[in-house]
Amino acid sequence: MKNFNVALLQLMPEDSLEGNLKKGIAACRKAKEMDADLALFPEMWSTGYHIPENGEGRKAYSVSADSPFVQTFGRLAKELDMAIGITFLEEYQPLPRNSLCLFDRFGNRKFLYAKVHTCDFGEESRLTAGDDFYVADLDTRQGHIKIGAMICYDREFPESARILMLKGAEIVLVPNACPMEINRLSQLRARAYENMIGIATVNYPSGQPDCNGHSSAFDGMAYKPSETVSRDTLVIEAGEQEGIYLARFPIDELREYRRHEVHGNAYRHPQKYHLLISEAIEEPFLRADYRK
């Protein structure tokens, strides 16, 4: 596989589910014209990252994974012969979830991922957190590739990308809805570098509250045989404006790099990391709003 092309749909949401459905369909069609293998939406596209305060409002805004909204993108994936990662406020008990459904180019659901690290210090305390990370074997026109996913705040925990790498992910999808500045971009660059994986992040454009575009992709390859010094792993960084940005990941190069470089799971000592699975939290990290 020479390249795996991910269309980052840096779109401004409409003011209704139907509006987001229509705009999302049009964006996917455009992504196909750009030769994308996969089109990825920003975080919680169905609502434009809106989480109502009261229970009735959340119920009205949430949709199930089998809803017409989500399933439309499954059918569209089959029609376009292109994978689609659609994000939505998922109907779930006792509280909705912040979810991503990945459809392959045949319209099959490969996984349904719910955000594990919900922002419980804010409005996501009104959501149910996910309980696992998933990796799927995605059949593309050029061959198979292992795809994983994490959502926004998940990236701030090295464990998220690490688990996805250990499960075999080669590319990790990251729907996002927050200001992408130097530190958050540095986190993504680090997750790609330390795990030798590609990371594709899509954000809402400037004009959406608390967002500023700068969707990005990193290929995770710090070195190339033809170069004598380390290189920037950045594949693409969008500006602040609405648009569709194509990230081209050189998969054959990435696979060869992973076969001989020193990161990822090559030299780890997990038997020495027992403290990482301890549930103890002490000062200065105690928070009254923390949820397990």
Side-chain angles (χ1 to χ4, degrees):
M1 181 184 294
K2 185 176 180 181
N3 287 313
F4 179 70
N5 300 330
V6 180
L8 308 175
L9 308 182
Q10 185 170 292
L11 306 175
M12 183 67 73
E14 300 294 318
D15 58 4
S16 69
L17 182 70
E18 182 64 24
N20 287 333
L21 177 64
K22 290 181 179 178
K23 187 166 187 174
I25 290 171
C28 287
R29 294 192 185 282
K30 179 63 176 178
K32 176 64 178 181
E33 293 174 2
M34 296 169 66
D35 199 32
D37 296 296
L38 186 151
L40 180 63
F41 285 89
E43 186 176 9
M44 215 184 297
W45 173 250
S46 66
T47 70
Y49 195 81
H50 172 61
I51 307 171
E53 291 187 17
N54 62 76
E56 286 303 312
R58 289 192 296 272
K59 184 177 180 180
Y61 271 81
S62 60
V63 296
S64 75
D66 296 321
S67 67
F69 177 85
V70 176
Q71 291 304 308
T72 292
F73 288 100
R75 293 189 296 272
L76 184 63
K78 183 177 181 179
E79 175 193 335
L80 298 178
D81 192 34
M82 177 186 73
I84 296 176
I86 180 63
T87 58
F88 57 107
L89 180 62
E90 183 192 1
E91 181 181 283
Y92 198 80
Q93 295 298 328
L95 297 169
R97 302 197 302 185
N98 181 343
S99 297
L100 163 69
C101 186
L102 178 65
F103 291 104
D104 69 12
R105 65 190 181 101
F106 306 107
N108 301 314
R109 189 171 83 184
K110 301 303 293 184
F111 60 64
L112 174 63
Y113 171 67
K115 186 175 184 177
V116 167
H117 297 99
T118 49
C119 299
D120 293 342
F121 43 83
E123 58 188 339
E124 288 190 352
S125 63
R126 303 193 286 268
L127 302 180
T128 296
D131 56 12
D132 202 358
F133 294 92
Y134 305 105
V135 172
D137 183 6
L138 195 66
D139 183 338
T140 77
R141 289 166 291 164
Q142 297 187 66
H144 290 255
I145 187 170
K146 298 286 188 180
I147 300 290
M150 56 186 182
I151 297 177
C152 202
Y153 190 47
D154 283 328
R155 87 178 160 266
E156 303 202 17
F157 299 84
E159 297 86 351
S160 305
R162 183 66 92 193
I163 288 171
L164 288 166
M165 178 275 293
L166 292 173
K167 288 187 173 185
E170 297 174 289
I171 301 293
V172 173
L173 310 176
V174 191
N176 192 81
C178 70
M180 294 307 298
E181 38 70 52
I182 186 171
N183 295 301
R184 291 186 172 108
L185 287 168
S186 296
Q187 287 176 325
L188 294 164
R189 179 180 271 107
R191 300 295 90 84
Y193 168 74
E194 65 203 10
N195 292 294
M196 297 193 291
I197 54 177
I199 291 186
T201 303
V202 58
N203 195 29
Y204 288 100
S206 180
Q208 173 73 351
D210 206 33
C211 293
N212 67 338
H214 291 278
S215 298
S216 65
F218 297 91
D219 63 23
M221 295 185 290
Y223 310 98
K224 285 192 174 183
S226 60
E227 301 176 15
T228 58
V229 295
S230 63
R231 58 184 287 274
D232 189 351
T233 63
L234 182 69
V235 173
I236 188 173
E237 181 181 345
E240 295 188 353
Q241 301 304 308
E242 181 176 49
I244 299 175
Y245 301 88
L246 195 67
R248 299 182 183 274
F249 291 95
I251 298 303
D252 286 341
E253 288 185 51
L254 177 58
R255 287 173 175 167
E256 180 58 29
Y257 178 82
R258 299 180 96 208
R259 288 188 186 99
H260 66 263
E261 266 301 339
V262 301
H263 311 295
N265 200 27
Y267 294 98
R268 292 174 66 248
H269 294 278
Q271 70 275 14
K272 301 176 183 178
Y273 306 155
H274 301 298
L275 191 58
L276 290 178
I277 60 172
S278 169
E279 295 188 6
I281 303 176
E282 299 178 357
E283 290 288 2
F285 303 114
L286 293 175
R287 302 291 186 272
D289 51 9
Y290 169 73
R291 299 184 299 168
K292 286 188 178 181

